[in-house]
Amino acid sequence: MAASHGEVFKQLGRGIERETLRYHEQGKLASTPHAKGLGSPLTNKWITTDYSESLLEFITPVSHDIPTIISQLNDIHHFSQSKMGQEKLWPLSMPCFVESDDSIQLAQYGTSNSGQMKTLYRKGLKHRYGSLMQIISGVHFNFSFPEALWDNLFGEQSEQERQQSKSDAYFGLIRNYYRFGWLIPYFFGASPALCSSFVAGRESSLPFEKIGETLYLPKATSLRLSDLGYTNDAQSSLKIGFNSIEQYLEGLNKAIRTPSEEFAKIGVKVDGDYRQLNSNVLQIENELYAPIRPKRVAERGEKPSEALERGGVEYIEVRSLDVNPFSPIGISEQQIRFLDLFLTWSLLTKSDSMDNCELECWRENWNKVILEGRTPGLELQIGCQGERLSLQKWAHRVFDELEQIAAVMDAQQGGEEYAKTCFALRQCIDNPEQTISGQLLELTKELGGLGKVGCQLGEEYYSQRMSHQYQAYSEKLMEEEATRSIEAQREIEQSDQMTFDEFLEDYFSYLK
């Protein structure tokens, strides 16, 4: 794309969701309730909880400027830390020391029907997969292109034509992400090791080595993305396709409506007590585990798939980023710039349709990179024809093209930051130990275990946060949001007209 095409790369939309566990002395998971000073996790727009009461999630609004989004995240971390007493934020993706599955408290959202449903959904996840898997932390990156880019690509179009063109283009991006997205765990995977308490009582055929209470694979990048981590074997048979928005929605809607024999054994309501929302393969759409998702902001009362069907794809959510342990906010500016480049390249690069054979091929490539990605000369498969290429050769080919996009982005935004990002990451292609997973494993060996790494970095970041000065927000603004969120929760609870049974019956009426 020539630089003459305006300043489209100044208008990229970015939003970040960062998950992190609260912990106390010696790296033990906190069992205290969500701090009242943070407001309501049901309605606070910046600070909520994910699966567990101790698993915080920090959310930024959409921003078109990288320094702004970094400042917002820093401010949210600072405000949250100031309300948590001596508890700290765990700086790693894999959990700190956890006594047992039952010691993990499910997130609570109050007495409203919608709040109770959120907790029940998590209860269902616990019965289905266990709680340990659910408290693995990650960073989600929401990304969109501006209308100016679509104008350049497609010219004048009717509203309906534009909606279809954008959805087709985003699904092309998604297919290329599946083909080449293993670059993300290669460069940014940060979970080559885990605490032995995480796998206590679980069978694994992985050839782990040991440092104290830490288990690790010498060349792994992201155990979080492996079968041990945040993936779901039960969903591997779903075969949800990405060739069009119609194919995707058809597969998703089928999964929501398909009964599961395994989950039916759990029961839905037993002796008056709910155990899960329903016994289908997916309780709700959010249960679909995927490294990337097509998204649209839903209107009030609208489900994610209904929003996509109504208005097409508005943005994509990248879900395969581990928490960066070397950043106090879990993600760095370099990572954001790489994602800008890689996602733009994935959109602009030819993207043929993908059959089940190729889907299996990318799964195999990702799994290789996840478990042994830092092995020099590791070979990956190209499509289903049996052709193979080393990770290094394939990565260099991609970077040859990323550098062309970096030149345009730098020309539009000023400076050389995108070119510098390409240069720095290229060094990691031929020097795997310079990747985040390589550096983290080296530090783990040096300090004698992952728990010691987490505690040392957690202490360091705690001090930084406590001395942080607001940049994007202010203490007054964040206090006001906390207060507003508590009042908003109260209003939702007071406005409920149905019993919880009636609410669930109404919510899932579309399945009948």
Side-chain angles (χ1 to χ4, degrees), residues 457-507:
L457 292 173
E459 187 70 43
E460 189 181 311
Y461 298 153
Y462 172 83
S463 299
Q464 285 182 28
R465 286 185 196 113
M466 294 308 285
S467 60
H468 173 80
Q469 302 294 313
Y470 285 100
Q471 297 166 327
Y473 300 128
S474 66
E475 186 172 8
K476 180 174 180 285
L477 197 65
M478 304 210 77
E479 293 279 9
E480 285 172 352
E481 175 59 18
T483 303
R484 184 208 63 79
S485 69
I486 292 168
E487 184 55 39
Q489 178 182 320
R490 190 179 297 118
E491 287 172 8
I492 293 169
E493 290 169 348
Q494 290 171 352
S495 68
D496 277 347
Q497 300 294 315
M498 301 178 186
T499 66
F500 187 52
D501 285 350
E502 291 168 340
F503 175 79
L504 290 182
E505 180 78 19
D506 179 65
Y507 185 91

Side-chain angles (χ1 to χ4, degrees), residues 301-338:
E302 200 175 39
K303 297 171 182 66
S305 62
E306 292 170 342
L308 282 173
E309 195 165 5
R310 166 181 56 80
V313 184
E314 184 178 12
Y315 66 99
I316 49 101
E317 178 189 31
V318 170
R319 298 167 54 83
S320 45
L321 281 169
D322 286 356
V323 172
N324 184 343
F326 302 114
S327 164
I329 54 173
I331 188 170
S332 68
E333 187 171 319
Q334 182 192 72
Q335 288 176 285
I336 295 171
R337 291 190 186 280
F338 174 78

Side-chain angles (χ1 to χ4, degrees), residues 161-387:
E161 286 171 333
R162 177 57 58 89
Q163 178 180 316
Q164 189 64 49
S165 295
K166 284 166 68 172
S167 291
D168 289 345
Y170 274 122
F171 271 94
L173 181 160
I174 287 169
R175 292 192 297 278
N176 278 337
Y177 184 92
Y178 279 125
R179 291 179 175 115
F180 302 98
W182 45 262
L183 284 164
I184 291 171
Y186 177 75
F187 290 123
F188 306 134
S191 49
L194 44 79
C195 176
S196 56
S197 69
F198 184 79
V199 291
R202 295 170 71 187
E203 286 185 20
S204 173
S205 59
L206 295 173
F208 281 119
E209 297 184 23
K210 205 165 185 184
I211 308 167
E213 293 304 310
T214 297
L215 302 177
Y216 72 97
L217 294 179
K219 300 299 181 184
T221 61
S222 179
L223 293 173
R224 167 181 166 267
L225 296 176
S226 75
D227 287 343
L228 272 179
Y230 212 76
T231 58
N232 181 351
D233 283 342
Q235 295 179 13
S236 59
S237 61
L238 290 179
K239 302 284 191 288
I240 293 174
F242 307 98
N243 291 327
S244 67
I245 189 168
E246 293 81 12
Q247 185 188 47
Y248 175 78
L249 289 173
E250 182 186 347
L252 186 57
N253 284 319
K254 183 182 175 186
I256 293 162
R257 288 168 169 80
T258 301
S260 163
E261 285 184 27
E262 181 188 351
F263 299 150
K265 292 173 188 171
I266 296 167
V268 176
K269 194 176 186 183
V270 181
D271 298 329
D273 181 44
Y274 280 106
R275 294 185 174 182
Q276 54 185 339
L277 291 172
N278 56 56
S279 57
N280 293 342
V281 174
L282 303 179
Q283 297 176 89
I284 54 175
E285 297 165 32
N286 288 353
E287 194 171 330
L288 178 67
Y289 300 117
I292 187 169
R293 282 182 184 164
K295 301 286 286 272
R296 168 165 285 277
V297 175
E299 293 176 350
R300 186 175 176 81
E302 200 175 39
K303 297 171 182 66
S305 62
E306 292 170 342
L308 282 173
E309 195 165 5
R310 166 181 56 80
V313 184
E314 184 178 12
Y315 66 99
I316 49 101
E317 178 189 31
V318 170
R319 298 167 54 83
S320 45
L321 281 169
D322 286 356
V323 172
N324 184 343
F326 302 114
S327 164
I329 54 173
I331 188 170
S332 68
E333 187 171 319
Q334 182 192 72
Q335 288 176 285
I336 295 171
R337 291 190 186 280
F338 174 78
L339 290 169
D340 285 353
L341 289 166
F342 180 68
L343 295 171
T344 301
W345 175 85
S346 296
L347 180 91
L348 298 177
T349 298
K350 187 174 182 244
S351 183
D352 293 332
S353 61
M354 188 181 272
D355 60 17
N356 284 334
C357 174
E358 195 183 349
L359 280 171
E360 287 307 314
C361 172
W362 74 250
R363 280 198 181 97
E364 190 181 319
N365 284 345
W366 277 69
N367 205 44
K368 273 188 170 183
V369 174
I370 286 161
L371 297 178
E372 48 182 330
R374 283 182 290 107
T375 304
L378 181 72
E379 289 200 331
L380 304 177
Q381 191 169 320
I382 303 171
C384 296
Q385 307 307 312
E387 188 185 349

